[in-house]
Amino acid sequence: MNMKAYYIEANEKLIESLQKSSEEDRMDQIELIQDLHKYKYYAMGTWWDALHYLLTGVSACEPIEYSMLSEAVVGKKPFSEDEEANFISYTSAADLARISASLDWLSVKEVMGAFSLKDLIEHDIYPGDWKEEKESEYKKELANAFKTLRRFYQIMVEQGEGVVVCIY
């Protein structure tokens, strides 16, 4: 099964509700939110780990505390510290403004300048099964993932919202 990343618009009320929920209830709430389309969201798909690697030089499985570029991909604060739990985190509106600004400093050309298919394979970056003949396609997809995430964050900042990040 492919692990995909979703970035969901989140006001403080939603974040507080998710904080108070059990792991199972939290996941049910997230799935319901996605099904109802009540909140805006961006479905990045399977590019989350590769984008994290391009931005930080390490896998998203090793988030970098206090790194806005790392937090752009994996969120600021996990709802659960349980390593067996689904990965769901959040970023408050105030923190998102700083993270969004850090993404705005980067050009697509700069981000994609870090692309190396050999490195993605060597560092076992998800989703794995990288194929040399698809390198051009990967570059386009990752450039699009970066641009779309950056724009989504800009919109959330303009609206004064935070974001919930789900990778499952």
Side-chain angles (χ1 to χ4, degrees):
M1 180 168 79
N2 287 332
M3 292 179 59
K4 298 179 180 176
Y6 300 89
Y7 300 82
I8 303 167
E9 169 188 17
N11 56 34
E12 289 302 317
K13 184 177 177 181
L14 174 60
I15 291 171
E16 287 172 14
S17 173
L18 291 171
Q19 285 173 321
K20 294 175 184 174
S21 299
S22 68
E23 175 66 22
E24 186 176 327
D25 288 345
R26 187 178 303 120
M27 202 59 218
D28 289 344
Q29 281 183 274
I30 295 293
E31 289 174 353
L32 183 62
I33 287 167
Q34 290 174 314
D35 290 345
L36 296 176
H37 300 285
K38 182 178 177 185
Y39 296 89
K40 294 179 180 89
Y41 71 92
Y42 166 48
M44 182 182 289
T46 59
W47 300 108
W48 52 274
D49 198 26
L51 182 59
H52 190 278
Y53 184 82
L54 292 180
L55 292 172
T56 67
V58 298
S59 169
C61 297
E62 305 168 30
I64 303 169
E65 195 170 10
Y66 307 114
S67 165
M68 288 182 266
L69 296 177
S70 180
E71 292 169 354
V73 177
V74 299
K76 178 108 175 128
K77 179 137 178 54
F79 284 103
S80 172
E81 298 296 329
D82 181 359
E83 300 220 359
E84 299 300 314
N86 288 310
F87 185 84
I88 306 172
S89 65
Y90 67 94
T91 304
S92 68
D95 289 327
L96 191 63
R98 290 187 289 277
I99 290 169
S100 180
S102 73
L103 293 177
D104 289 343
W105 279 97
L106 296 172
S107 70
V108 174
K109 186 176 180 180
E110 287 172 304
V111 172
M112 295 313 298
F115 184 90
S116 163
L117 190 59
K118 180 180 174 238
D119 285 350
L120 296 176
I121 294 167
E122 188 175 298
H123 291 94
D124 198 26
I125 301 301
Y126 191 84
D129 74 343
W130 301 98
K131 295 175 177 58
E132 198 170 305
E133 64 272 11
K134 291 187 171 188
E135 184 171 354
S136 172
E137 181 183 326
Y138 299 148
K139 287 180 179 179
K140 287 178 190 170
E141 291 288 344
L142 281 163
N144 186 56
F146 172 73
K147 290 187 289 189
T148 305
L149 182 64
R150 182 173 60 185
R151 182 64 189 135
F152 181 76
Y153 281 180
Q154 289 168 344
I155 292 167
M156 294 301 100
V157 168
E158 289 167 8
Q159 295 176 357
E161 302 289 7
V163 170
V164 169
V165 178
C166 308
I167 301 174
Y168 62 96

